[in-house]
Amino acid sequence: MADVATTDTTTTAGTDDLVVLTGVNKHFGALHVLQDIDLEIARGEVVVVIGPSGSGKSTLCRTINRLETIDSGSITVDGRPLPAEGKELARLRAEVGMVFQSFNLFAHKTVLENVVMGQVKVRRTARAQAEAKARTLLDRVGVGAQADKYPAQLSGGQQQRVAIARALAMDPKVMLFDEPTSALDPEMINEVLEVMRQLAADGMTMVVVTHEMGFARSAANRVIFMADGRIVEQNTPDAFFTAPRSDRAKDFLSKILHH
Amino acid sequence: MNVLFTDDNFTLFRDGFLRTVELTALSGLLALVLGVLLAAFRVSPVPPLRIFGTVWVNVLRNTPLVLLFFAVVFGLPKIGVDLGYFTFAVLALGCYTASFVCETVRSGINTVPLGQAEAARSLGMTFAQTLRLVVLPQATRTVVSPTGSILIALTKNSAIAGAFNNAELYGVMKTWNELGYKIFAIFFWIALGYLVITFAISALFRFLENRLAVAR
Ligand SMILES: Nc1ncnc2c1ncn2[C@@H]1O[C@H](COP(=O)(O)OP(=O)(O)OP(=O)(O)O)[C@@H](O)[C@H]1O
Ligand SMILES: [Mg+2]
């Protein structure tokens, strides 16, 4: 990625980098979805990933907690390479929170139980303590009153906020968001983005795949533009949105900004 | 019709009936435990386990049960394993039925959206936890009804054990037949014995189905 501007040379061999991808390649059959991806994400940084459909944004996100395996290259989280399948990997996943487009709340459990379960089963936290923490987190994302309902009884916006609370309950070092507002009705998008903005302000390291330009401008430190499995361009939100350099990015921005 | 009330026939029938119940219950339990385990193997990330599950299901589901009884009852003693006819019957019936349970559970697992398992894994749950805490509970409702049918089939299949030295209902039938009782009277009582068991299983599973339906 020679044409990338804001890589302030070598800052003491990445002691401050929380997530580092080096030369990552991934194929789905003949399709080369991730092509030589190099990416460093600093502690506390908020990175927004945008790009046309099929460019590999979700796949990139999912490789970071190894929901997708990679063919070559390396990924480290907090200095440790991603372990292969097994207990080690499970432990790492607990430190990487993930929020999905379709919420994926456990349908057979109450909202409270959704947030308690990981703490008790993975972290082995005592139940009372886990419940107290779950209630605090649910209050924080504004759905404390829904604790005893089942996911299906909540609106999409509420479900997504519960999903964020569920991920936060594990005290993750980094949070991955894959189009967290794409499945939501317009009036619910902001309540979710507001929670995410707050999270960013509190210093959480975040990777967010989204087309919400307002969020990118107000909360992101860096925008990464992907196309055809490559990182084509990256810059600060202001610089990227006002003066994209590549033709792909210009073309993409003109499409999403004018309709 | 008064076969049942002559000589020791009632005791014979009662013991045969209880034996069939026992055989069905034990091999049913074995089939359920083994079947769920095999289903877990078949969806596991470990290739050798997947292969084991696939081979088990495809061999046992596609082989006549009588053949399996032959292999177990006459084969195992040849390699020094002699557990008695009843245990042999439980093993043959349980292993055979487990392959059907496995496929039912597996299709139930496939009805649970993939996102549920992904969410569980992203929280740091192991494969076993994901299956036990998230996927299987949600698969249960679709699995209950076909599992009832499998256990009813098992009850009827248990008659084959009668042909391999087990004094269960079918064994009673053979005895009565040799004693020369009227075929219709024999049929009536033996069929009644099986019907009682299969109706009980139907009722139990209808109850379970209703309970799972009201829970949420
Ligand atoms: N499991 C899979 N098997 C095969 N191909 C896949 C799989 N998942 C994704 N792909 C393909 O890989 C490419 C990149 O997919 P990905 O989901 O990462 O794109 P994306 O940038 O997130 O797109 P979108 O904006 O539509 O979500 C697409 O062409 C997609 O069809
Ligand atoms: Mg995507």
Side-chain angles (χ1 to χ4, degrees):
Chain A
M1 304 297 104
D3 62 334
V4 172
T6 53
T7 10
D8 9 14
T9 51
T10 41
T11 38
T12 44
T15 41
D16 237 25
D17 286 332
L18 188 56
V19 179
V20 179
L21 286 78
T22 316
V24 169
N25 281 281
K26 160 96 189 162
H27 295 79
F28 281 123
L31 186 69
H32 199 168
V33 267
L34 295 180
Q35 310 189 18
D36 297 316
I37 300 286
D38 292 309
L39 178 63
E40 292 104 38
I41 297 160
R43 219 173 283 276
E45 193 182 13
V46 177
V47 174
V48 160
V49 182
I50 67 170
S53 181
S55 57
K57 307 180 298 293
S58 296
T59 310
L60 177 71
C61 219
R62 292 159 58 86
T63 56
I64 296 176
N65 68 355
R66 214 171 184 278
L67 280 182
E68 300 286 356
T69 55
I70 56 175
D71 301 336
S72 65
S74 79
I75 300 178
T76 63
V77 174
D78 208 5
R80 298 208 320 265
L82 290 196
E85 208 63 48
K87 285 241 158 53
E88 270 301 300
L89 177 61
R91 204 164 303 142
L92 174 125
R93 283 197 180 123
E95 299 182 343
V96 180
M98 178 131 194
V99 175
F100 302 86
Q101 181 175 347
S102 47
F103 330 133
N104 296 346
L105 291 180
F106 303 133
H108 63 307
K109 295 285 183 188
T110 62
V111 162
L112 183 72
E113 198 54 37
N114 263 274
V115 185
V116 164
M117 212 163 151
Q119 299 181 66
V120 171
K121 300 295 177 182
V122 177
R123 293 276 193 232
R124 305 283 167 203
T125 310
R127 184 152 195 106
Q129 201 183 330
E131 280 190 16
K133 183 173 180 182
R135 290 194 190 276
T136 308
L137 284 167
L138 288 171
D139 283 337
R140 190 167 138 199
V141 299
V143 286
Q146 323 292 331
D148 297 321
K149 291 188 180 167
Y150 283 92
Q153 298 169 288
L154 269 55
S155 75
Q158 290 173 326
Q159 288 190 52
Q160 194 60 300
R161 286 182 283 150
V162 174
I164 294 173
R166 175 175 70 176
L168 287 176
M170 307 304 289
D171 294 320
K173 290 176 177 163
V174 51
M175 289 275 284
L176 311 172
F177 295 82
D178 187 4
E179 305 209 29
T181 57
S182 299
L184 296 177
D185 293 334
E187 72 270 23
M188 291 170 189
I189 291 177
N190 268 322
E191 64 191 48
V192 172
L193 291 180
E194 198 39 57
V195 168
M196 291 168 60
R197 252 183 222 113
Q198 193 54 52
L199 208 52
D202 292 347
M204 175 62 75
T205 309
M206 295 163 63
V207 178
V208 185
V209 178
T210 185
H211 291 158
E212 294 297 330
M213 299 308 144
F215 175 81
R217 277 179 183 275
S218 65
N221 302 107
R222 181 162 46 136
V223 171
I224 287 180
F225 176 73
M226 283 187 78
D228 299 331
R230 291 181 185 280
I231 296 178
V232 174
E233 187 169 340
Q234 48 182 312
N235 217 329
T236 60
D238 267 345
F240 178 78
F241 289 118
T242 48
R245 277 164 294 162
S246 62
D247 291 340
R248 291 297 303 262
K250 281 177 196 157
D251 184 47
F252 177 75
L253 285 176
S254 73
K255 277 184 188 136
I256 62 164
L257 294 177
H258 302 299
H259 72 218
Chain B
M1 290 298 160
N2 54 8
V3 191
L4 203 56
F5 308 104
T6 44
D7 304 330
D8 285 336
N9 281 353
F10 181 75
T11 318
L12 187 72
F13 178 79
R14 187 198 59 200
D15 291 350
F17 175 79
L18 291 179
R19 202 81 217 196
T20 293
V21 170
E22 203 180 350
L23 197 56
T24 306
L26 288 178
S27 49
L29 198 66
L30 177 64
L32 290 179
V33 172
L34 208 56
V36 172
L37 198 67
L38 286 167
F41 281 10
R42 292 206 67 177
V43 297
S44 94
V46 186
L49 292 185
R50 279 209 303 273
I51 293 170
F52 179 85
T54 309
V55 169
W56 182 297
V57 167
N58 284 314
V59 170
L60 291 191
R61 213 161 57 124
N62 297 310
T63 313
L65 179 54
V66 190
L67 222 58
L68 186 61
F69 264 94
F70 262 107
V72 169
V73 174
F74 301 119
L76 287 185
K78 287 243 161 60
I79 56 168
V81 184
D82 200 343
L83 303 168
Y85 289 115
F86 182 74
T87 308
F88 278 153
V90 169
L91 279 181
L93 283 166
C95 291
Y96 175 80
T97 309
S99 64
F100 292 87
V101 173
C102 167
E103 287 307 87
T104 302
V105 171
R106 195 166 68 102
S107 73
I109 288 173
N110 288 335
T111 64
V112 180
L114 191 60
Q116 294 284 311
E118 287 190 340
R121 288 198 296 156
S122 77
L123 285 178
M125 288 189 200
T126 60
F127 170 76
Q129 285 178 319
T130 300
L131 209 56
R132 190 163 48 83
L133 301 170
V134 175
V135 178
L136 285 179
Q138 296 187 62
T140 309
R141 210 189 316 181
T142 44
V143 167
V144 167
S145 165
T147 303
S149 308
I150 290 173
L151 291 187
I152 286 170
L154 165 66
T155 310
K156 296 180 288 173
N157 285 339
S158 75
I160 294 180
F164 291 85
N165 293 329
N166 279 284
E168 42 67 84
L169 278 177
Y170 180 77
V172 174
M173 188 183 102
K174 278 198 306 181
T175 309
W176 283 349
N177 198 31
E178 280 155 19
L179 291 174
Y181 292 109
K182 285 215 180 62
I183 192 73
F184 193 75
I186 299 175
F187 175 83
F188 176 82
W189 289 113
I190 300 297
L192 189 68
Y194 281 110
L195 281 174
V196 167
I197 301 173
T198 52
F199 274 36
I201 293 175
S202 290
L204 172 68
F205 276 78
R206 210 166 312 122
F207 170 75
L208 288 177
E209 235 177 304
N210 290 337
R211 270 202 45 171
L212 287 168
V214 290
R216 200 163 54 79

